[in-house]
Amino acid sequence: MHLSNTSKYTIRILANMVNHKDTTLISAKELSDNLKIPYKFLTKIMTELVRVGFIESIRGREGGYKFLRPASEITVGDILELFNDSIKDEECILGIDSCNAKQKCALHDKWIKSKIQLQKMFKESTIESIAAEGNKI
Amino acid sequence: MHLSNTSKYTIRILANMVNHKDTTLISAKELSDNLKIPYKFLTKIMTELVRVGFIESIRGREGGYKFLRPASEITVGDILELFNDSIKDEECILGIDSCNAKQKCALHDKWIKSKIQLQKMFKESTIESIAAEGNKI
DNA sequence: TTTAATTACTACCCTAAGGTAGAATTAAAT
DNA sequence: ATTTAATTCTACCTTAGGGTAGTAATTAAA
Ligand code: SF4
Ligand code: SF4
């Protein structure tokens, strides 16, 4: 009942990029130092974020990363989806083969309530809001 | 954001044992057939459940399993704890190193709300209630 | 006493996640 | 041109979860 390391790292990475206003670009080294994320693992994530178009990379000396899609338009839900980490509608609590509205398991109603709440939180939390003033990252 | 297969299986196994009133004992073969859980994997789980004292096993021909602790006193939370699958209080959504009441991440308040709700559900759901009349298992 | 049905034990195998190592590529600075 | 700082690519390692195979131990029935 938790997010993968990759998802958690990504949320913090992107939020840190929002807060980095000094120059336009930020390097993998800086991010790794800021967030205490293993450098080699971070670069692997970065390459994936470039591939899917969340961010852009500039190679070579003085290179680094910057947003391609604005941070206000990237949600936590988007990130979870990218890393196959989101709560799927059909993926339910006891994973019973044939379950539907008529035949429920005992946990169904309560689980659905929490599930919707979490899905809403993920969908409504943008990277910009994560990075907002005063929040720990 | 989901339970492990082992936890899901265990919940369904124990609930199925409650519903099995024919004789006192139920065998691994029956449980495996009833629930479509791989036989060998199921027996591995059963041995663990015996070890921790939820159930008792009778070996040899006509053997099988029965409850040691009553089903009304085993909760879903107990099972999740056994398989290291529960939502720990200190294990929070973004897993940031140093977080406390003063310095929160943006998701904190909403996450805490869902977390408490889920923990409550797990703690209050007994195997007996899971197995209650009309519930899918 | 043998046989069949059962649990328990030991030892694997496979996959995905997390992580690491090293070299190749790029491009600015010197 | 050379050096240096950066990203990217390829290939691997380790661990935990999920699952399988074979066999030993146990016990009631035949
Ligand atoms: S009854 Fe509901 S909670 Fe239970 S397995 Fe089906 S969909 Fe999931
Ligand atoms: S601020 Fe709250 S939700 Fe965020 S990491 Fe800390 S305890 Fe978890």
Side-chain angles (χ1 to χ4, degrees):
Chain A
M1 193 57 70
H2 56 270
L3 304 186
S4 68
N5 272 3
T6 308
S7 294
K8 293 186 210 167
Y9 284 163
T10 300
I11 294 167
R12 296 174 59 219
I13 290 165
L14 294 179
N16 201 259
M17 285 178 63
V18 171
N19 285 337
H20 175 84
K21 296 290 189 202
D22 304 351
T23 62
T24 43
L25 297 179
I26 185 166
S27 71
K29 172 121 192 0
E30 271 184 282
L31 287 167
S32 166
D33 287 348
N34 290 347
L35 301 167
K36 316 276 183 248
I37 298 173
Y39 175 79
K40 283 289 196 175
F41 192 42
L42 183 137
T43 58
K44 196 186 226 176
I45 294 173
M46 297 313 280
T47 302
E48 175 66 7
L49 298 179
V50 168
R51 199 188 63 74
V52 299
F54 286 178
I55 59 178
E56 185 182 359
S57 69
I58 313 294
R59 294 175 67 158
R61 187 167 177 159
E62 305 287 288
Y65 304 96
K66 68 177 177 191
F67 281 98
L68 201 55
R69 261 171 72 177
S72 59
E73 287 173 24
I74 301 175
T75 69
V76 170
D78 293 336
I79 294 164
L80 301 193
E81 224 150 277
L82 174 59
F83 298 114
N84 225 333
D85 213 7
S86 52
I87 308 178
K88 275 134 196 111
D89 276 327
E90 70 279 9
E91 184 190 306
C92 258
I93 193 85
L94 294 187
I96 301 172
D97 181 41
S98 60
C99 71
N100 49 56
K102 271 180 24 198
Q103 263 293 53
K104 307 178 196 173
C105 75
L107 302 181
H108 184 94
D109 291 344
K110 285 177 187 165
W111 163 242
I112 296 299
K113 197 178 152 201
S114 289
K115 186 177 74 168
I116 287 173
Q117 220 171 261
L118 288 165
Q119 285 174 327
K120 187 169 182 315
M121 171 175 84
F122 293 144
K123 195 175 172 192
E124 291 178 355
S125 301
T126 65
I127 292 299
E128 198 180 40
S129 72
I130 297 276
E133 188 79 36
N135 290 337
K136 183 89 188 168
I137 281 299
Chain B
M1 194 55 70
H2 58 272
L3 304 185
S4 68
N5 271 3
T6 307
S7 294
K8 294 186 209 166
Y9 285 162
T10 300
I11 294 167
R12 296 176 58 219
I13 288 166
L14 294 180
N16 201 258
M17 285 178 64
V18 171
N19 285 338
H20 174 82
K21 296 288 187 202
D22 305 352
T23 64
T24 42
L25 297 178
I26 185 165
S27 71
K29 170 122 193 2
E30 272 184 279
L31 287 168
S32 166
D33 287 349
N34 289 348
L35 299 168
K36 316 274 183 251
I37 298 173
Y39 176 78
K40 282 290 196 176
F41 192 40
L42 183 137
T43 59
K44 195 186 226 175
I45 293 174
M46 298 314 279
T47 301
E48 175 66 6
L49 297 180
V50 168
R51 198 187 63 75
V52 298
F54 286 177
I55 60 178
E56 185 181 359
S57 69
I58 314 293
R59 294 174 70 159
R61 187 164 178 164
E62 303 287 287
Y65 304 96
K66 69 176 176 192
F67 280 98
L68 200 56
R69 262 172 70 175
S72 59
E73 288 173 23
I74 301 174
T75 69
V76 170
D78 293 336
I79 294 165
L80 302 193
E81 225 150 276
L82 175 57
F83 297 114
N84 225 333
D85 213 9
S86 52
I87 308 179
K88 275 131 197 117
D89 275 328
E90 69 280 10
E91 183 190 304
C92 257
I93 194 86
L94 294 187
I96 301 171
D97 181 42
S98 59
C99 71
N100 49 56
K102 271 177 30 193
Q103 264 291 54
K104 308 178 196 172
C105 76
L107 301 181
H108 184 94
D109 291 345
K110 285 177 187 164
W111 164 240
I112 296 299
K113 196 178 154 201
S114 289
K115 187 177 71 169
I116 288 172
Q117 219 171 260
L118 288 166
Q119 285 174 328
K120 189 170 182 313
M121 172 175 84
F122 293 146
K123 196 176 170 191
E124 290 178 354
S125 301
T126 65
I127 292 301
E128 197 179 41
S129 71
I130 298 275
E133 189 78 36
N135 289 339
K136 184 89 187 169
I137 281 297

